[in-house]
Amino acid sequence: MLEDILEQVQKGTLSIAEAKEQLATFENLGFAKVDHHRKKRQGFPEVVFGEGKTAEQIISISQSLRSRNSQVLITRISKDKAEIVKRACPELIYHETAQILFWRENTAGEDTSQGYIAVVCAGTSDLKVAEEAAITAEVLGSKVKRIYDVGVAGIHRLLSHLDDIQKATVIVVVAGMEGALPSVVGGLVSAPVIAVPTSVGYGANFQGLSALLTMLNSCASGISVVNIDNGFGGGYNAALIHQLAQKGAKTYENTIF
């Protein structure tokens, strides 16, 4: 890319000002500095946290990201705010349960990835966080299998999906209340488990603190824990692990023994 830009400047087909704009690592919008080199450094573009931003600010950031990337992901955005943004950016898709607004370049027929991420959710009340994790992983290019309403209070429901869970590359487990589900799943699988506590529960749940502490104190190996209600963090980390697994699989396939 750098050589192409320099050659264009040398030929006179690209001005110095235009070259500087293309080479800039971020775009300064005044109220935000949009990081356009995030994908080069980390593999995925910058993600927009919608809470606390105006619809107009989100529109400007989205248009900036859209011009340089194949994905746009905006989390924690209300339906009313999303509708305003969609009027200016109609290509964006809104998922109301997850409160996510996203766009992904059409890659139909190009998905050659193997394996999938399993998003396992304890109860229907946890769906908002589970869907935030699932859609985040999908927008970032991973296949996702959803396994919902399989909490430990009726463990037979979980066991009926055990085959799908055990075959996953990585598992995101979302649970509120006492937060026991990740420990159960962690003891049944060989893949990494990302535990996501939710704020769902009665008074002594302390808005998810009890579930968080349960998950942090799990005796099951292979469990990592993200913050309360952080479905995005769970989905993002799962996508990173899944992406690394794909690279490892391709390297193995291309190895000559």
Side-chain angles (χ1 to χ4, degrees), residues 29 31 48-65 72-78 81-82 84-86 88-89 92 101:
L29 301 179
F31 58 87
V48 183
F49 185 68
E51 220 172 84
K53 294 182 178 68
T54 67
E56 291 71 24
Q57 288 172 333
I58 293 172
I59 290 167
S60 296
I61 295 170
S62 300
Q63 290 172 339
S64 176
L65 288 169
V72 175
L73 180 61
I74 304 155
T75 66
R76 299 297 172 93
I77 180 168
S78 66
K81 196 184 293 184
I84 297 170
V85 174
K86 276 181 62 63
C89 307
L92 296 177
L101 195 60

Side-chain angles (χ1 to χ4, degrees), residues 115-116 118 145 161-171 189 191:
Y116 56 87
K145 278 194 178 183
H161 294 279
L162 189 56
D163 190 50
D164 281 337
I165 296 170
Q166 289 179 327
K167 288 178 180 176
T169 304
V170 54
I171 303 139
V189 301

Side-chain angles (χ1 to χ4, degrees), residues 6-51:
L6 292 175
E7 283 178 5
Q8 290 177 58
V9 172
Q10 187 179 45
K11 291 175 183 176
T13 57
L14 190 72
S15 71
I16 292 175
E18 290 170 331
K20 286 175 67 177
E21 184 178 342
Q22 289 189 31
L23 291 170
T25 58
F26 65 89
E27 182 178 357
N28 191 349
L29 301 179
F31 58 87
K33 293 179 176 66
V34 183
D35 185 352
H36 286 306
H37 279 215
R38 184 76 62 94
K39 188 169 185 177
K40 293 179 182 178
R41 297 195 314 272
Q42 297 186 301
F44 300 127
E46 184 171 20
V47 177
V48 183
F49 185 68
E51 220 172 84

Side-chain angles (χ1 to χ4, degrees), residues 4-5 14 32 35 52 66 73-74 109 111 116-117 121 127 142 146 156 199 207 210 216 219 228 237-238 243 257:
D4 290 340
I5 292 171
L14 190 72
D35 185 352
R66 176 80 166 74
L73 180 61
I74 304 155
D111 189 355
Y116 56 87
I117 295 168
C121 179
L127 279 181
S142 297
R146 293 162 168 81
H156 56 288
S199 53
Q207 292 78 52
S210 65
L216 287 171
C219 65
I228 298 167
N237 288 343
Q243 185 185 68
F257 294 97

Side-chain angles (χ1 to χ4, degrees), residues 197-223:
T198 76
S199 53
V200 172
Y202 295 102
N205 170 263
F206 297 111
Q207 292 78 52
L209 182 59
S210 65
L212 172 65
L213 294 176
T214 297
M215 294 175 187
L216 287 171
N217 285 285
S218 173
C219 65
S221 303
I223 295 179

